[in-house]
Amino acid sequence: MGNKRSSRIMAGITALGMSVFGLLGYKEHLSIEPEEQPLPPVVETDSSEGNLLDRYPGLKISCPKLSTAADAFLFTTPESAVLIDTGEDVHARRILNLLEENHVTCLDALILTHFDRDHIGGAAEVLNRIQVNYLYRTEFEGDSEQYAALLDALRQNPQTEVVTLTETILLELGEVTYILYPPMEHSYAKDEDNNSSIITAVFCSKGGQTLLFAGDAEKARVKEFLSNQYDGTQYDFLKIPHHGRDPKPLQKLLKKFVPEHALITSSASEREHSALMTKLQEAGTEVWLTREGSITVFCDENGMDVTQEE
């Protein structure tokens, strides 16, 4: 596959300062238990040496093009691997191939933002094929076949520790820190499936990059995040919530920060909202669409590099 386009930004002093400020603030009031050592991987490959992952020295984020507007994001460093969402069940083989391509035989964390089928469809296969140390979820429940398959896979793999989020937690994996913001309400009057999304902030200490992955958060969830959980960080990269279908949550986010890059998970038949694209272009944000090809984000001491392949 050929390179379609790429863009590079340098990590700024402001971004680094805000990320350090935000992390220090959370470390003061969060009680974080030390992570246990990873269990031996279930699947060994010739290209894997224990828990040694991709040879890229910084943080690599793989955002595959899928057949629908589904979410799946793999975060890898030489020492750690985190997966946010797993696409639909028809994408399970693609997700497993992505893990293999990046030499991942053990996930430190699997974060399921919410239980819509286009976010958890491949989760059961992932749990059944490789070691997953921790699975992070919300207290909300699903009612789909994919959710039932996920629960069954968890019963068959009791070595995976399930963490139901009721408060913000911080995960430190080497030079990358993840802050998981759970939904704050026990129910939502409108769009409860999407508004129950976990929002994940990612901080790279090596280069000072800041990234925000907003799941499918709609208006109510974005409003409560900005009112009660947002710490003023100026994010360099934003995964647009809910596949870019509603410009209203984006407008609220853009009042707080303007990212250099924005990513939208969309497909040929499930396209992003034109008004949302206009807002991003007016703000000067470079937009990346998964319907146009798989996207890879590289973060290191030299800055952020975003590339896309057809």
Side-chain angles (χ1 to χ4, degrees):
M1 294 187 292
N3 222 19
K4 185 175 181 182
R5 62 188 180 114
S6 65
S7 178
R8 190 171 187 86
I9 63 169
M10 301 303 292
I13 294 176
T14 301
L16 177 59
M18 291 305 297
S19 65
V20 171
F21 171 80
L23 292 180
L24 289 176
Y26 277 103
K27 288 180 180 179
E28 287 179 357
H29 70 265
L30 289 177
S31 176
I32 307 301
E33 295 293 330
E35 295 288 342
E36 297 178 0
Q37 290 298 313
L39 297 174
V42 173
V43 179
E44 290 285 359
T45 66
D46 292 338
S47 60
S48 176
E49 298 177 12
N51 203 34
L52 181 63
L53 305 178
D54 198 279
R55 273 55 176 178
Y56 176 67
L59 172 65
K60 175 182 175 183
I61 307 168
S62 302
C63 315
K65 177 183 179 179
L66 301 173
S67 58
T68 65
D71 279 23
F73 307 104
L74 177 63
F75 300 73
T76 54
T77 72
E79 298 84 21
S80 66
V82 172
L83 182 63
I84 297 181
D85 290 336
T86 59
E88 298 194 35
D89 45 8
V90 297
H91 303 134
R93 171 48 55 189
R94 177 71 182 94
I95 303 304
L96 291 171
N97 287 343
L98 181 67
L99 294 170
E100 183 177 358
E101 291 163 7
N102 287 275
H103 316 293
V104 176
T105 58
C106 176
L107 283 171
D108 295 280
L110 171 57
I111 302 167
L112 298 178
T113 59
H114 62 299
F115 294 119
D116 279 355
R117 67 180 188 179
D118 58 335
H119 292 255
I120 67 166
E125 285 294 326
V126 170
L127 286 162
N128 288 329
R129 293 296 297 273
I130 72 167
Q131 172 65 38
V132 177
N133 289 339
Y134 293 89
L135 183 145
Y136 295 90
R137 56 161 293 171
T138 72
E139 62 181 349
F140 288 76
E141 302 288 339
D143 59 1
S144 65
E145 293 180 4
Q146 291 79 10
Y147 182 71
L150 166 64
L151 296 183
D152 185 59
L154 287 171
R155 285 190 289 268
Q156 295 181 46
N157 296 278
Q159 72 276 12
T160 297
E161 182 171 340
V162 179
V163 180
T164 300
L165 297 180
T166 58
E167 59 184 5
T168 299
I169 69 167
L170 181 150
L171 308 176
E172 289 186 310
L173 296 173
E175 295 181 339
V176 182
T177 298
Y178 302 82
I179 299 180
L180 279 56
Y181 299 97
M184 301 184 68
E185 300 294 335
H186 297 293
S187 65
Y188 293 87
K190 186 177 180 181
D191 302 315
E192 183 167 84
D193 288 348
N194 290 331
N195 279 318
S196 63
S197 291
I198 295 170
I199 295 176
T200 304
V202 183
F203 297 86
C204 307
S205 62
K206 180 177 287 188
Q209 297 88 356
T210 55
L211 307 93
L212 189 69
F213 289 75
D216 272 1
E218 295 195 49
K219 185 177 179 180
R221 178 73 184 99
V222 170
K223 181 179 179 180
E224 73 175 14
F225 169 74
L226 292 175
S227 299
N228 302 289
Q229 296 172 319
Y230 178 61
D231 66 353
T233 297
Q234 298 299 297
Y235 290 100
D236 304 312
F237 185 100
L238 172 66
K239 184 271 174 182
I240 299 292
H242 198 209
H243 316 285
R245 293 172 187 161
D246 186 356
K248 293 180 181 178
L250 175 68
Q251 291 172 342
K252 293 182 179 294
L253 290 166
L254 289 179
K255 289 180 180 179
K256 298 293 185 177
F257 65 90
V258 177
E260 295 279 348
H261 295 277
L263 180 146
I264 300 175
T265 50
S266 60
S267 68
S269 61
E270 302 167 290
R271 299 172 74 96
E272 61 286 345
H273 199 292
S274 59
L276 182 143
M277 291 292 291
T278 299
K279 291 293 183 183
L280 288 169
Q281 291 163 358
E282 290 176 347
T285 297
E286 185 163 13
V287 183
W288 306 82
L289 307 173
T290 56
R291 66 178 174 82
E292 295 181 348
S294 294
I295 297 157
T296 307
V297 184
F298 299 93
C299 299
D300 58 28
E301 65 273 12
N302 296 315
M304 179 185 291
D305 191 18
V306 185
T307 65
Q308 185 168 44
E309 294 181 340
E310 295 180 346

